[in-house]
Amino acid sequence: MLSLLRSQCRGVATRSVPSWSTRTYFTQKDASKKKYSSELAKYRNIGIIAHVDAGKTTTCERMLYYSGMIRRIGEVHKGDTVMDHLKMERERGITITAATITFPWQNHRINLVDTPGHVDFTVEVERSVRVMDGAVAIFDAVAGVQAQSITVWNQADRYQVPRIAFVNKMDREGATAEKTLKMMQARLNAVPLPLQIPVDVGPMFGAVVDLVDMKVITWEGDKGEQVEIHDILTYGGEQLMARAKAHRDQLLTTLVDLDEQLMQEYFEKDGDVSDTTLRAAVRRATVAMKAVPTMFGSSLKNKGVQQVMDSVIHYLPSPLDRDPPTAVDMRTNKTVSIAANTKDPLVALAFKVVHDKRRGLIVFSRVYAGVLKAGTTIFNAKKGGEKERVQKLLQVAADDMEEISELRAGDIGAILGLRDVSTGDTLIYEPSNDRALRPVLKGIVNPPPVFFCALEPDTEKDYNPLIEALEILQREDPSFLYHISEAQQILISGMGELHLEIIKDRLDNHFKVACTMGRMQVSYKGTISESIREDDIVESFDVQTSAGVKTYTAGVSISMEPLEPGTGNQIKFELEDSVVESMEKSVLDRVKQSITEGIESSFQRGLPLGFPVIDVGVTIHGIFYRSEAETPPMAFRNCVIRSILKLGDQAGAVILEPLMNLEISVDEKYLGSVLSDLSRQRRGTIKEVGMEKNTHIISALVPLKEMIGYSTQLRSFTHGNASFTMEYSHNGRVSANEVAKVLQEIRGY
Ligand code: GDP
């Protein structure tokens, strides 16, 4: 390979060929060897994050091809790529479900977690980001940094995931390197480190200068599989050399500011920094999340993907380079950190659960500590319950799975044979004694569902299969919920119209249950705006018993307060010691349980306005208890339900609605009409109107309710000259003059 490369190179370097140009790329012949390293330092658990259409699927396909995992390249427009392995994904032409795939590159093991770019699937992205040690962000060289990239970027920030960037589609008319670099600074607050410069841009794009090794790279052969290294002067003359030197100087200046070690070496050697020194400095800055090495290319034209793969190895961290994740020990309630050590007891995170018709549940897991072996029994650290047997372990090649005997700390793979596992669960071996750790890894942040609708089985015999299917879907996807209302109606809720449509699609095609979906509705919530406390609310209840009517009495002192948005509901007991001491512990526990159930049930039914309650804190300060005969613990449930209704009336109940961040790209001609439609018809708040090239970019905050059917309407009144993306921002208060409309919409009168 090496001699082939050299012989085909135009103007091969005269100085010794740097080490990286002498590597042998994996070719398809190597596929059968599957050269994975078992050294943890040579693992790279990475994901690709991007705005939909930036080229994730196209890039993945090349990665698999160059690493020898597949023999031909599928294309998105033909619907035959490996990552789009679900039939539904093929039909819709978007990547919905994150799949993992393992492949070798330069004697390293890359576990690639694919992430969906569609906004309806943010939780999918979140749970993938959670298990990555590093990520490749792909941008479109024409569109630059788009809305969803920002969302995913923020998620990666939240989980402290170091990143490199690939500016794709350099072959497109209008592509530039600078625009994306500037947008990375402005919109992502990132420090891009361009490690290359494209020699030409647009349709002429065909080469980059590597600023670390100061060489020109081109890609030859049918699929760009042949990487050729050229001397800069021979390839592009003095002019290109001058450009390259200026950019390398700029790169060094940026890096010296970020990395003290490099600064010392830089001054000691009078600015003459070797490629090895430079690469080490880039790695330190990347792992410390101070900078983002950036490469340029065109996946579709098979240019540049190998350099991205090399950079994954050079710059992104191995599991050993990362801060160990934290977990809560269920036994002591203390926070512990889980080091990536194969000698420690097993700790694994089930980050994705998928139902497969043939194989049952497939539990995609990342092992953080210890070794998970096939054939052993594991234990759900949070739920406890039954031990379950790991029937098989699989490493995934998209729709093809290879059986393996163990998954070691740092590794990602799939477990078969488990039944009672949901996305987000921590799996361990059963603690050997009472003192052994029972760690539960920190969970995944789930945005609240914003849409709901009713679901009706077509016939009575479809009811049970439907509930079973919904149970599985909920296990797979924590952002999907179903519940049965008091009127015995099945309600499903999710992240968007498309999310629920896909659930329906799976019910039809995967589970084959016949059901009908009702009208899609926005999911409103209720909360309170004022704190309120009421002491000694005593309630009596008459209960018909076999010995006649019996009156039970229970009382509470209770307060409610509004909490910060996103906190959820909280229940606290602040009972005086004398109360606690006067009651038997088992009775007190049952009383507390009954009070908690009462509060949860009231919140589910809603305060006066009838919407499920969020972000409210309830504290029980005192209880009125006579004896178990006169005040059975159950009586507290009713007492609390009545108390909360009373208090809710006085605590300024308000309705909340989901507000969405909206980004619209629109031509000059239609800017005025789009803006006026947003503020006049849709209760939108315009945050910013920017300009990129000849397109205006509007950022706005708009209630989700006003966005139903927007894509069709926008297309029609701009004649197709506008496009938009949106994502959930937060729940905001429905203004007083909208409340009546909302109530009418929900109640139907
Ligand atoms: P994803 O949604 O991020 O997975 O993006 P895809 O890989 O599905 O690509 C979206 C569209 O962009 C498809 O039509 C691709 O063929 C096209 N595409 C991807 N990469 C390139 C590229 O480098 N250049 C050009 N011109 N088109 C590309």
Side-chain angles (χ1 to χ4, degrees), residues 615-663:
D615 304 333
V616 171
V618 178
T619 308
I620 302 294
H621 304 274
I623 55 174
F624 171 84
Y625 172 82
R626 279 205 185 113
S627 68
E628 203 155 356
E630 286 174 82
T631 314
M634 267 302 292
F636 281 98
R637 189 174 189 279
N638 294 352
C639 171
V640 163
I641 290 176
R642 287 196 195 170
S643 312
I644 286 196
L645 261 186
K646 251 186 218 165
L647 258 62
D649 251 344
Q650 305 156 33
V654 289
I655 305 179
L656 300 173
E657 66 178 336
L659 299 181
M660 310 301 282
N661 276 328
L662 179 68
E663 190 176 288

Side-chain angles (χ1 to χ4, degrees), residues 5-20:
L5 264 183
R6 283 198 182 143
S7 67
Q8 293 189 350
C9 283
R10 283 184 283 152
V12 174
T14 45
R15 71 174 168 131
S16 65
V17 181
S19 58
W20 64 273

Side-chain angles (χ1 to χ4, degrees), residues 173-206:
E173 199 69 64
T176 70
E178 294 74 22
K179 174 178 164 179
T180 307
L181 294 172
K182 282 207 184 104
M183 284 175 91
M184 284 171 72
Q185 289 169 320
R187 299 192 129 193
L188 306 175
N189 219 357
V191 179
L193 281 184
L195 300 186
Q196 304 170 336
I197 46 170
V199 178
D200 293 299
V201 292
M204 294 291 290
F205 174 77

Side-chain angles (χ1 to χ4, degrees), residues 191 193 251-267 273 276-291:
V191 179
L193 281 184
L251 171 67
L252 279 170
T253 315
T254 313
L255 255 184
V256 160
D257 279 348
L258 299 174
D259 188 76
E260 223 164 90
Q261 197 173 324
L262 180 71
M263 187 191 286
Q264 274 179 11
E265 291 177 34
Y266 183 84
F267 287 116
V273 174
T276 321
T277 304
L278 183 51
R279 192 166 292 119
V282 174
R283 181 177 178 80
R284 284 193 298 274
T286 313
V287 172
M289 300 219 323
K290 290 181 185 163

